[in-house]
Structure formats: C-alpha cells, structure tokens
Amino acid sequence: MNVYFIRHGQTDYSLKDQKIYQGFGVNLAPLSEEGIRQIEEAAKDPRLKDAELILTSPYTRAVQTAAILSRRLDLPIAVETDLHEWVANKHYIYEENETAHKAFHEFMERNGEATEGALWESSEDIRQRVEAVLKKYRQYHKIIVAGHGYMIQAMTGVPHPDNGEICFCQMDR
C-alpha cells in the first residue's frame, strides 16, 4: 500500500490559553490563513493523484487539512482517533503543561527513544499505533494520511516535516 502522509497546515494558535483552547482544547485550534494556503498548494501535488481515501487525525488542524484535500481531490475522509499527535502520557492520562513540556523535552533529547519507566510515548509507540490503523485499510492501493509531524517522522524517517509537506511510505499489505 502506498501511503502519502501530509503534515497539517500551519495552525492558528492566536486564542491559545483562552476560551476552550486550554489543555486538550488546544487541539481544537484551526488552520491559519497561511495553513489553508499551504494545503491548497499541496493538493496540486501530482503524487496525490489517484489516491482512494484520506485518513485523518481527529484534531481540528488535521481534519481541516483533510477537508481541503477532500474537496480538491474529490476523495472520502475517514477520521481515525489513533492518528493523533505524540502524547506526554501513553496511558492517555492528562498531564499538566509543565509535566508535558518536561516529557517533550526528554522525548526530543532522546530522539524519541524511551527511557525505562518513561510515561511519554516513544517513536516506536507512535509507529505501532499508526501501523495498527493502516492495517485496517490494506484493501486500498494508495491513501493519504493527514496528520502530525512526529507521527510522520516515526513512520517515514523524515525529520519533523514542514507544514503541508508530503512524505511517502510503502506499507506491506
């Protein structure tokens, strides 16, 4: 299966820490105008031609990315909750910002390789989580996945792709 990962467009965090955009709510932030432009441009990429389906993370920035691609490429979308971004606690327990920032610093410092007893999600954890989702779509020959930088890095080896960047991955059926 040919998988084309695309990192969501630039996000508008202008309301971060206001209204509902606190804690987990930050994942409700939409694309910025620049982010929309990035994805409109990416939709013209010939590598995406003949794709059969778009899978997306449930976060607004990825769903909006998938919606733009869907409109431009005339493809259906499926939202998969396990295509989310890296998490500070792999048991899905909410961590306060300070703890999450510390975990992220450790994740970066160790290049995604977990230490014994680490609660944060390693690159290998991310890869296994995403591969489990993709296995459900083995009947497709070519799909697009709208998602997040560290997810794409774990799957393709491309170091944290830019917003709107497309990265290829060949998956065994």
Side-chain angles (χ1 to χ4, degrees):
M1 172 173 51
N2 293 320
V3 182
Y4 289 86
F5 288 93
I6 182 167
R7 184 169 178 222
H8 59 78
Q10 181 185 71
T11 309
D12 178 0
Y13 289 119
S14 63
L15 294 177
K16 187 177 182 296
D17 298 325
Q18 298 177 38
K19 298 182 182 183
I20 59 172
Y21 298 115
Q22 300 171 12
F24 284 132
V26 75
N27 292 316
L28 298 175
L31 295 180
S32 66
E33 288 299 318
E34 173 63 13
I36 293 168
R37 188 200 62 70
Q38 290 167 335
I39 303 308
E40 293 279 356
E41 192 61 32
K44 299 174 188 174
D45 191 300
R47 293 176 291 175
L48 303 183
K49 187 177 188 248
D50 299 324
E52 301 162 273
L53 177 70
I54 301 169
L55 300 179
T56 184
S57 157
Y59 297 174
T60 301
R61 59 195 183 268
V63 172
Q64 192 176 0
T65 294
I68 293 167
L69 293 171
S70 173
R71 186 176 69 246
R72 294 290 182 222
L73 301 170
D74 193 28
L75 293 173
I77 299 172
V79 176
E80 286 285 348
T81 58
D82 277 342
L83 293 178
H84 59 78
E85 179 58 287
W86 172 88
V87 291
N89 187 309
K90 62 185 171 187
H91 303 293
Y92 299 105
I93 297 169
Y94 176 73
E95 298 289 358
E96 294 293 330
N97 283 345
E98 186 177 324
T99 303
H101 287 296
K102 184 178 175 188
F104 183 69
H105 180 72
E106 189 174 323
F107 171 83
M108 293 299 292
E109 211 170 61
R110 298 194 46 81
N111 280 338
E113 291 186 30
T115 58
E116 189 173 325
L119 290 177
W120 48 266
E121 189 176 39
S122 71
S123 292
E124 179 61 20
D125 294 330
I126 296 169
R127 189 187 60 72
Q128 288 177 10
R129 166 171 58 81
V130 174
E131 282 183 352
V133 170
L134 295 177
K135 284 179 183 177
K136 297 187 321 188
Y137 296 91
R138 282 182 273 198
Q139 72 271 28
Y140 292 95
H141 296 285
K142 185 175 183 178
I143 63 172
I144 299 168
V145 178
H148 309 280
Y150 294 106
M151 177 190 81
I152 296 169
Q153 181 176 319
M155 293 302 296
T156 67
V158 175
H160 207 262
D162 293 332
N163 295 110
E165 186 173 344
I166 299 167
C167 302
F168 175 74
C169 180
Q170 177 73 44
M171 298 289 298
D172 293 332
R173 288 180 178 237

